[in-house]
DNA sequence: TGAAATTTGTGCGTATGTATT
DNA sequence: GAATACATACGCACAAATTTC
């Protein structure tokens, strides 16, 4: 998916929506690793900060859990701090 | 207040804490205008993005309400969309 | 009408720190 | 120690919304 800079929705929200869709569709299941910031910025063709903001949106929504130095994962309903 | 770059708490959280304290103390009452991003970055000696993040923290906490082109205000309990 | 000033919103690029593997 | 991944910060530029003149 490529971002549309002319769309009403800003790029970081477009990416967030795409990731949200991939989670809702089951492509990214609970516990699965979400594409890294670096991967996101490269594949969507956006800056690092923009990629981080997209992930931040999902974090705020509780859809994903971020662990520094490890990665970002689709949240599991059972527990939030499982290892 | 000046930020401490050697402290455990990152600058943007230090500023957020300071603003939160000013609200809790009554210095900034409900409906009052919160210092603008530009004012914050100048007085605290931090970058614009960092200042925005500090305000964003309070926004996420529901302590303040941001209106583009107008300003940021301490949230009133009565209503969220009053003019 | 509209231009200017103010303020928040979004984005780019870069650098360094911290945590995990 | 090396590689990977997230965390924080700086600086800059332009867009969008609001107010004021």
């Amino acid at each position: 998916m490529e971002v549309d800079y002319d769309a009403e929705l800003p790029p970081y929200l477009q990416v967030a929506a795409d990731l949200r869709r991939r989670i809702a569709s089951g492509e990214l299941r609970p516990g699965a690793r979400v594409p890294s910031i670096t991967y996101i910025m490269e594949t969507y063709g956006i800056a690092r900060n923009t990629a981080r903001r997209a992930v931040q949106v999902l974090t705020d929504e509780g859809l994903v859990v971020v662990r520094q130095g490890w990665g970002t994962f689709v949240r599991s309903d059972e527990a939030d701090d499982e290892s």
Side-chain angles (χ1 to χ4, degrees), chain A:
Chain A
M1 195 208 85
E2 274 297 315
V3 297
D4 178 9
Y5 288 91
D6 296 327
E8 286 190 26
L9 212 60
Y12 83 96
L13 287 182
Q14 292 179 38
V15 174
D18 191 48
L19 292 174
R20 193 186 302 113
R21 179 190 59 74
R22 294 170 63 181
I23 293 175
S25 72
E27 176 187 341
L28 295 174
R29 300 185 181 180
R33 180 186 291 272
V34 174
S36 69
I37 304 295
T38 302
Y39 184 84
I40 291 176
M41 61 179 284
E42 289 176 348
T43 55
Y44 289 93
I46 58 179
R48 174 176 188 78
N49 290 346
T50 308
R52 288 207 70 253
R53 290 179 76 180
V55 175
Q56 185 66 49
V57 170
L58 302 186
T59 304
D60 293 343
E61 293 175 349
L63 283 178
V64 302
V65 178
V66 180
R67 291 190 178 85
Q68 184 176 359
W70 188 1
T72 305
F73 305 85
V74 180
R75 183 180 177 187
S76 302
D77 290 343
E78 306 84 31
D80 299 338
D81 55 351
E82 64 182 54
S83 53

